[in-house]
Amino acid sequence: MKDDIIGYSLQNDQLHITYDRGNNWTLVPVEKDLLFEGDYNGSKSELIDQSYILTEDLVAFLYSRESDWSKKQILLTYSVDQGETWRDTVVSEQFPSLRFRKVDFINELFGYVIISGDRTMSQEYSTVFLTHDGGETWRETDHSGVTRLISDGGFVDENTGFLSYGTLNPTEPDLWVTQDGGVSWSKSDVQIPEEYIPIFVSAEVPVMEGEELVMLVNQGPNGDYEGGRVKGQFVSNDNGLTWEFLREVMPDENK
């Protein structure tokens, strides 16, 4: 369980949530094993990062299960009343074995699911689904056309979203942006200063700060510059198409 008022427990092979630091627990109607289904080798004592939402207004869990076909369904089980009632929605009727998975909402109605699967060495299939009705229905966006392993992604508003690729020995940021809600994707131009070209290689999901987009670019899995934890901060004034270097961000600023 998280050390917060709101948390979860995976004890006794069941998923429970609490809204009062563990004084009372509510059973989530999802089999624990389904939450870890697919290409995942991490600990099953904690939920997969980014595969769930746990807030006062929304609790949601993304997972896959066998369908009537050879592939699997991708589902989201969620509650908007702190677990008093639950809804199940199908994000995708058919999908390969799940690897990367992420769900998030940026407001009450608009949310996104980013998933990947069918991994072969350093290649895989990845795609994005959007909802505009609070999770009741989902629509798949157009594909970026990239088959590298996805590292992260996200939306800052209903039109503007990003996908970041390259998890195995990345040599430069591979960031793609949509400005039309996933109808089309374009590769962002991340302008790395020459002295940082071999250092800042993996783009994180941008965030909106005031009137501009801000993004951190980390050193990937093998970075050793200043201990490997320093990141580069970049800004965009054209909604994510181009990015300019601003400064180094020290580890204590990444918290």
Side-chain angles (χ1 to χ4, degrees):
M1 190 193 84
K2 306 296 184 183
D3 187 22
D4 295 313
I5 295 175
I6 307 172
Y8 70 85
S9 168
L10 291 170
Q11 293 183 354
N12 301 319
D13 286 329
Q14 291 182 318
L15 174 60
H16 289 82
I17 57 173
T18 179
Y19 285 88
D20 57 9
R21 286 197 174 93
N23 292 316
N24 295 282
W25 293 92
T26 299
L27 177 66
V28 179
V30 179
E31 293 180 35
K32 176 185 173 182
D33 287 346
L34 296 181
L35 299 167
F36 302 96
E37 188 74 32
D39 183 6
Y40 176 71
N41 298 314
S43 169
K44 294 186 178 180
S45 62
E46 293 185 357
L47 292 174
I48 299 173
D49 189 34
Q50 303 188 123
S51 71
Y52 67 99
I53 300 168
L54 197 51
T55 67
E56 285 191 7
D57 300 320
L58 174 66
V59 54
F61 301 92
L62 183 68
Y63 60 98
S64 67
R65 72 179 180 195
E66 293 287 348
S67 67
D68 294 334
W69 303 277
S70 59
K71 297 185 179 181
K72 301 176 183 295
Q73 285 183 318
I74 307 300
L75 299 104
L76 188 73
T77 293
Y78 66 102
S79 172
V80 295
D81 55 15
Q82 299 191 355
E84 290 188 20
T85 59
W86 295 91
R87 304 175 189 175
D88 296 324
T89 183
V90 176
V91 178
S92 175
E93 286 287 0
Q94 296 188 65
F95 200 78
S97 180
L98 200 58
R99 188 190 69 82
F100 181 86
R101 62 207 79 185
K102 181 176 183 179
V103 58
D104 201 6
F105 280 75
I106 65 172
N107 57 47
E108 186 176 341
L109 296 177
F110 178 76
Y112 61 87
V113 164
I114 303 173
I115 50 178
S116 74
D118 204 19
R119 175 180 176 177
T120 303
M121 300 298 288
S122 60
Q123 305 292 312
E124 68 181 359
Y125 173 79
S126 60
T127 190
V128 180
F129 292 85
L130 302 179
T131 180
H132 293 271
D133 55 16
E136 292 185 23
T137 60
W138 295 85
R139 175 186 62 83
E140 187 172 10
T141 71
D142 195 8
H143 301 128
S144 68
V146 181
T147 58
R148 295 182 68 190
L149 300 186
I150 191 168
S151 61
D152 206 352
F155 279 71
V156 296
D157 58 41
E158 295 190 15
N159 293 313
T160 311
F162 298 90
L163 297 173
S164 178
Y165 295 92
T167 64
L168 302 174
N169 302 315
T171 58
E172 62 180 8
D174 191 359
L175 181 72
W176 290 69
V177 58
T178 179
Q179 298 180 338
D180 52 21
V183 175
S184 62
W185 295 87
S186 302
K187 186 171 183 177
S188 294
D189 180 12
V190 184
Q191 299 167 6
I192 307 288
E194 185 175 354
E195 64 268 30
Y196 293 115
I197 286 178
I199 296 172
F200 298 135
V201 297
S202 182
E204 299 181 5
V205 179
V207 297
M208 184 67 72
E209 292 187 3
E211 297 297 319
E212 62 185 8
L213 283 166
V214 178
M215 175 179 68
L216 295 177
V217 179
N218 64 54
Q219 300 182 39
N222 303 314
D224 58 7
Y225 174 71
E226 296 290 344
R229 295 193 297 159
V230 174
K231 301 179 182 181
Q233 187 179 65
F234 292 75
V235 296
S236 174
N237 294 302
D238 56 9
N239 212 31
L241 290 176
T242 60
W243 296 86
E244 294 183 358
F245 178 77
L246 184 64
R247 65 189 180 103
E248 289 186 16
V249 176
M250 303 307 292
D252 58 355
E253 297 180 73
N254 294 333
K255 295 179 180 179

